[in-house]
Amino acid sequence: MTANTPDIVANLASIRQRIAIAAKTAGRQPDDVRLIAVTKYMPRAYVETAMAAGHHCFGENTLQGAMNKQPLLDAPCNEWHFIGHLQTNKARKVPAHFNWLHTLDSLKLAGKLSESALLADTTLNVLLQVNIASDPDKYGLDTQSVHAFADDLLAAKLAGIRLCGLMTIGRRAADPGETRASFAALRELGDSCAARFGVDHFRELSMGMSNDFELAVAEGATMVRVGSAIFGPRPASNDQTLK
Ligand SMILES: *Cc1c(COP(=O)(O)O)cnc(C)c1O
């Protein structure tokens, strides 16, 4: 290990512990929060280190970055989450290689994912990405359009995809209270969707990253997406893709 290599095993343990504390403080069970280790721009060896330590849940935000990690991507012991924006013309490969997609934001994309999932003989779990703070630089559905979008999606009865909840990138703010409020808003939206649709499996809230996952857990996150706090910093230019 060189001086610059992050201590991935220790970092994973520490993040897990912080999640457990945040969950207990909020009266929740630590096991109700899934830790997605975000491996984007990180070498394959880092994924292998995490796997050797018993971690099997990973996230990537581009297809290319993910495909660079085959066969770790296709190892049945691993659960992979696609967390980046996805263009419809790239949807074909996602259901074959990923268990979850966090960034559904168009019916056209949903149709493509459904077709591809059927071809791959699999079911893809999907979350709707919500632009909770109406940030013009971010992808996702506006809060006000989520109900109508989900109505249309469910009415289309697309085979091969299962609508399981909502995802957001929390508001970046100097005041943690503002970030937390954006997570609370996603939880409320999730609750209203669950009540409206009566779909049993509509219960996931993907929210919280390295800098704010404890706030997200306090507000009900069932999945947190943590990259740099586990694997170390990425080159700054690569974070342009974070929308
Ligand atoms: C990169 C990324 C993350 C992880 O970000 P960190 O701040 O490194 O934890 C989480 N979610 C999405 C959508 C990302 O693109």
Side-chain angles (χ1 to χ4, degrees):
M1 215 195 286
T2 69
N4 289 330
T5 308
D7 191 342
I8 293 166
V9 176
N11 292 346
L12 273 170
S14 136
I15 300 292
R16 275 214 203 84
Q17 192 178 19
R18 287 168 60 190
I19 289 172
I21 291 168
K24 282 186 195 146
T25 307
R28 305 183 59 209
Q29 297 297 325
D31 285 352
D32 292 345
V33 184
R34 196 179 318 217
L35 171 59
I36 301 171
V38 177
T39 55
K40 64 186 187 192
Y41 309 112
M42 295 298 163
R44 240 197 263 187
Y46 284 19
V47 183
E48 285 163 344
T49 302
M51 285 172 69
H55 194 83
H56 295 285
C57 181
F58 299 104
E60 279 282 337
N61 74 332
T62 65
L63 257 184
Q64 202 194 339
M67 298 314 285
N68 286 341
K69 295 185 172 83
Q70 267 190 312
L72 304 178
L73 186 61
D74 295 332
C77 62
N78 288 337
E79 178 182 272
W80 283 90
H81 295 249
F82 193 91
I83 61 171
H85 181 68
L86 186 64
Q87 285 167 327
T88 304
N89 62 5
K90 293 200 177 149
R92 196 170 51 80
K93 283 191 170 170
V94 168
H97 299 290
F98 290 84
N99 308 94
W100 292 79
L101 173 119
H102 291 225
T103 51
L104 187 61
D105 61 356
S106 86
L107 288 172
K108 202 169 154 206
L109 176 60
K112 282 280 175 224
L113 290 169
S114 166
E115 277 172 29
S116 316
L118 288 175
L119 284 174
D121 197 19
T122 187
T123 299
L124 180 71
N125 294 314
V126 300
L127 308 177
L128 306 182
Q129 181 171 359
V130 184
N131 185 357
I132 202 77
S134 304
D135 180 340
D137 290 334
K138 284 194 180 118
Y139 290 111
L141 302 163
D142 291 331
T143 304
Q144 312 86 281
S145 53
V146 167
H147 281 179
F149 181 89
D151 281 345
D152 291 347
L153 182 66
L154 293 171
K157 292 198 191 309
L158 297 171
I161 61 174
R162 183 190 295 131
L163 179 57
C164 296
L166 305 176
M167 173 273 208
T168 201
I169 295 170
R171 183 181 203 135
R172 273 191 208 183
D175 171 9
E178 281 182 39
T179 303
R180 182 165 176 164
S182 71
F183 294 143
L186 194 76
R187 173 175 43 74
E188 283 159 21
L189 188 58
D191 287 347
S192 73
C193 287
R196 181 181 177 99
F197 306 127
V199 200
D200 270 355
H201 44 260
F202 195 103
R203 63 168 91 90
E204 305 291 343
L205 291 175
S206 166
M207 55 189 196
M209 315 191 331
S210 289
N211 290 327
D212 54 20
F213 68 88
E214 284 148 316
L215 298 173
V217 170
E219 289 297 344
T222 61
M223 299 178 174
V224 294
R225 311 175 307 265
V226 180
S228 46
I230 298 170
F231 299 110
R234 295 177 294 273
S237 58
N238 287 335
D239 265 354
Q240 297 306 317
T241 61
L242 179 63
K243 285 185 179 173

